[in-house]
Structures are given as structure tokens and as C-alpha cells.
Amino acid sequence: MTVPSAGQRFEKGARPGGSGTLWRQADFRNYALGQGISVAGSGVTLVAVPVVAALQLHASTVQVAGLAAAGRLPPLLFTLHAGVLVDRWPKRPIVIGCELASGAVLASVPLVSLVTEPSLAQLYVVTFLVASLQVLGSTASTAFVPQLVERHQLVEANTRLGTGNSLADTTGSNLGGLLVGLLGGARAIAADSLSYLLSALLLMRITTPEPARTEPEQPASMFADIRAGLTYTLRTPLVRAAVLSNCVNASVMAACAALWSLFLLRNLGWPPTMLGLVMGAGGIGGVIGGITGRHLAARFGPGRVIVTALALSPVCQLPLLLARPGVMGQWAIAAAMVVQTGCAVASGGLLRSIRQLIAPPELQGRAQSSGMWLAFGLRPLAALLAGVLGAAIGLRPTLAVITCLLAVPAWMLWRSPIRHLTSLATATGVGPATALPAQSASSLESAAEPGAPAP
């Protein structure tokens, strides 16, 4: 795979006539379709698990928040190690193995439901195990994309993946509400188990070879490799700004997610089918954000698009705070989710492309995992604190506090070099990331700084 210069990469990536080339690549189609099917299946579980916990098992507010925390604890425990393993081992087999194992774990819930009612303990264990497998699988999957497509296609690839996943999420959430209504929450999870199997089968069809890795004369320890990834992340200004703001944003959104479904199901009296439809509406916004994000960045600059998208997030929470039971509240929350998810996909695709383009190939796994660990490490604590605060002062006041905190990430990026990015080409500095030594944190920093004015 040849690596063009930074300028060539972005000139090609911005060319309108090349937008369909990725879909003509069989390996990318299989990867994107597999990802979409997996996301759609997860959308079913996202609806089904809260329904099982809140309505079938009558879980308390703290117990539901604890279930959310169980799904957010693995990134804190395993993400840094996952990055090292992904950089040491071939990435595609890791993704396939994690998909198959996740499907097997999820299958236990509908199998148990054939005999008796699932327990809250089983939901905790299944949620934790699947989240653990997906820490490794998603790290390998993200690091595999730069090997699957040419570097000048990365922005387009991430845009199309974001769009497709948002559409799949819409389909999965809507299907989840339907299946929960027809089969019950526990048996509906079988659809997610099947989706992981189908995703693995499509990934097995990919034939793009992974580049051979040169084994060092003295292999580094796990700790040394983890430290190299963290050093790179914290000493590269653009990456550091993106990760730290995402740390705050992910933590606040985890707190919101811990209470969101419970608030709609209990306080507003929504049926599970409506919950699935409204969650699916967010996927429509993701499709719009995926389609428009790259074009908006080309016109206004990625910095402005990213900061503006994050600034709109707390505004989109207002309908949730003001809604009352009834159709009008459902429409208002659905419309806000469209905007909020569209902003998240647009900004997320741009930030992901920047990080993939800056990182050297031999650091792709650790670069992604270090960012994920720093960004998502506080999510379990945030989910538990949300549950405790919700039980103490009520769900609506707690969601009001969360809404105020959502303004912080936009403020952080406004004060960072990311605000000044007028094009994605400036993010890569003076040359291709592959020319940079993997262990030289100072050289990585200098490669990222020239294109970004000081805040």
C-alpha cells in the first residue's frame, strides 16, 4: 500500500467523483455490512435489557444504574491491554473471535428464558462479558480500517461507516421495540446473538492481507507498550484535546444513559415499543450527520464543525427535561435525538479520522485504546453516581444537572488547537504519519503542532 503525501491524501479524499469507490471494494463492503449488522443487533439489546430489568425484574433505580455501570466498567479495566494485543496480533482474527464469543454469551439469555425468567445477576454477568469482548473487538476493528482502505480514503470510510452504523442503529432500535413487544425482552436478545454470528461470517470473507510486523530484538513488556501509547496520546496536542474533552462528554453521557430509559419508562409511562422508536430516531440523525459532516467540514473547517456539534448537545437535552407524558413529548424528544445523534456522528467521524491519520501504523491499536481508556474510564463511576443522585433527588433534577455538564466538552475544545483547524490536512502537519518513529513522543508532538495554531 503506497502512502501519498499529506496534501495528496486530502485532495483525493475531497474529490466528489470518488465517493463511490469504496462501495466497489468487496472487502470494505463486507466489513461495513458486518459492522452494520452487529450494530443493528446491539440496538435490539439496548432496548431489551432495560425493559427486562425495569419491567420484568422490577429493578430499582440504583440497580438499573448498576447494570449500566457493568457495561461501562470493561473499558476502564481492559482497554489499555487491548491496544497492546491489537498492535501485536493480526487484527481481523481478533474481531472475528470477539464477535463469535459475544454472540455465544448473549445467547444464554434467551436460552434461559425458555425455562425460567432470567435473573438480574445473569444480566449483570452477560452485560459485563459482552462489553469486555467488545473492548478488544472494537479496538481491533478501528485499527483495522487504515489497513483496509488507502489513507486518502480514511475520511470517506469513517463517514460511510458512521452513516451505515447510524442507519443500522435506527433499524435495530425499532426492531428491538417490535421484538420486545412480540417476544418479550429476554427472547428478543436472540436477534443480537444472531447478528454477531452474521457479522463474523462477513468478516471471514475479507481477503485484504495485513502488513507483516517486524518483531523487535527485545520485545517490550506490556507495561512499556501501554506507556508508549499513553505518552503518544498525552503529548500530541490535537489528540490530547480530543481525548480529554471526550472523557468529559463520555462520562456525562454515561450518566444520562444510566437514567434515560428508566425516566421514559417510569416517569413518562412510555411503552417499550415507543422507547425503541424514539431511540431509532437518533439513528436517523446519525445518518444525516454522517452524510453532511464531511461536506460541512470542507466548507466551514473541521474545527468549527466539531465545536459547534458539541455545543448543540446540551440544547438537545432540553426537551427531555421539559417533556410530559403524551405524544407531544415523544415527538419533541425524538426530534432532539435526531439532532444530537447527528452532531455526535459528524464530530466523531472527523475526530476519528484525525487520530487515525496522525498515528503511525505500529501505534494504531495503542493510539485508539489509550484514547478510549482516558475517554471512557470514568463512565462506570458516572453511571453509579447518576443512580445514587437520581434516587436521592429524583430523575428529572438529576438529568438537569447532566444537561448543564454537557456544555463543558464544547468549552474545552473551544480553548484547544482543534478550534483552529481549517482543514483536515493541517492536522497531519508536515508529512505522513508513517515517517514518524513509534517510540518518539517528541517527534509525534512536533508533527501535530505545526498545522494547528496555539489556542
Side-chain angles (χ1 to χ4, degrees):
M1 182 184 296
T2 59
V3 181
S5 67
Q8 290 173 327
R9 289 199 302 269
F10 290 99
E11 286 172 5
K12 292 180 181 179
R15 190 174 297 162
S19 61
T21 56
L22 282 176
W23 292 126
R24 292 198 292 268
Q25 299 177 17
D27 283 351
F28 180 79
R29 286 200 310 271
N30 286 326
Y31 175 87
L33 184 57
Q35 289 289 296
I37 291 174
S38 181
V39 169
S42 297
V44 175
T45 297
L46 196 62
V47 175
V49 168
V51 170
V52 174
L55 300 185
Q56 288 185 230
L57 303 180
H58 306 290
S60 67
T61 299
V62 174
Q63 288 174 326
V64 173
L67 189 61
R72 289 164 175 79
L73 185 59
L76 175 63
L77 299 178
F78 308 127
T79 296
L80 292 177
H81 303 81
V84 175
L85 296 177
V86 166
D87 281 339
R88 291 181 178 180
W89 297 346
K91 298 172 179 56
R92 188 171 68 97
I94 293 177
V95 183
I96 293 173
C98 289
E99 296 286 88
L100 292 173
S102 297
V105 171
L106 280 168
S108 67
V109 178
L111 288 176
V112 167
S113 72
L114 296 176
V115 180
T116 184
E117 193 173 71
S119 66
L120 192 60
Q122 183 186 7
L123 291 184
Y124 273 97
V125 172
V126 168
T127 299
F128 180 83
L129 289 178
V130 172
S132 299
L133 289 165
Q134 289 311 300
V135 166
L136 180 59
S138 63
T139 301
S141 180
T142 303
F144 183 54
V145 174
Q147 298 179 357
L148 190 63
V149 302
E150 298 288 341
R151 289 181 65 83
H152 70 269
Q153 296 175 311
L154 270 176
V155 178
E156 180 187 351
N158 284 318
T159 297
R160 293 185 177 278
L161 288 171
T163 303
N165 288 345
S166 294
L167 184 60
D169 185 55
T170 300
T171 303
S173 297
N174 291 334
L175 181 62
L178 178 63
L179 290 178
V180 167
L182 292 176
L183 305 176
R187 296 180 182 180
I189 295 175
D192 193 9
S193 178
L194 180 61
S195 75
Y196 280 115
L197 173 62
L198 294 177
S199 175
L201 292 175
L202 286 166
L203 290 170
M204 291 177 187
R205 295 170 58 89
I206 294 176
T207 59
T208 299
E210 297 194 42
R213 287 175 299 282
T214 303
E215 296 293 335
E217 295 181 1
Q218 295 182 341
S221 66
M222 176 75 73
F223 176 77
D225 279 345
I226 289 175
R227 183 177 59 185
L230 287 171
T231 299
Y232 160 79
T233 299
L234 294 176
R235 292 190 179 180
T236 307
L238 291 178
V239 177
R240 181 176 64 240
V243 168
L244 292 181
S245 64
N246 199 28
C247 177
V248 177
N249 188 63
S251 299
V252 178
M253 291 305 296
C256 183
L259 304 178
W260 196 79
S261 298
L262 187 64
F263 176 74
L264 297 179
L265 289 169
R266 287 187 178 172
N267 289 46
L268 299 186
W270 286 20
T273 302
M274 181 55 62
L275 177 64
L277 289 173
V278 172
M279 292 177 72
I284 296 174
V287 173
I288 297 172
I291 293 172
T292 60
R294 186 161 57 109
H295 301 289
L296 290 173
R299 180 172 181 179
F300 300 106
R304 290 181 179 178
V305 173
I306 292 169
V307 173
T308 302
L310 285 175
L312 287 174
S313 186
V315 178
C316 295
Q317 288 286 110
L318 294 179
L320 181 66
L321 300 179
L322 302 175
R324 294 292 183 271
V327 176
M328 292 300 296
Q330 293 167 357
W331 277 102
I333 293 174
M337 281 206 66
V338 170
V339 177
Q340 189 175 44
T341 310
C343 290
V345 171
S347 61
L350 293 171
L351 288 170
R352 189 179 306 111
S353 298
I354 291 171
R355 292 167 61 185
Q356 288 173 335
L357 285 162
I358 293 176
E362 61 270 27
L363 265 175
Q364 282 286 346
R366 281 168 287 170
Q368 299 303 324
S369 66
S370 297
M372 287 174 59
W373 183 74
L374 291 169
F376 299 150
L378 294 177
R379 294 197 306 174
L381 178 60
L384 286 175
L385 287 177
V388 172
L389 190 61
I393 67 174
L395 295 180
R396 198 184 294 267
T398 302
L399 289 172
V401 173
I402 290 171
T403 299
C404 295
L405 292 175
L406 276 177
V408 175
W411 173 78
M412 294 174 67
L413 287 187
W414 176 260
R415 295 173 55 86
S416 78
I418 287 179
R419 175 169 69 98
H420 301 282
L421 286 179
T422 56
S423 71
L424 285 173
T426 62
T428 58
V430 295
T434 51
L436 301 172
Q439 302 301 325
S440 176
S442 60
S443 65
L444 289 166
E445 183 174 5
S446 65
E449 283 186 306

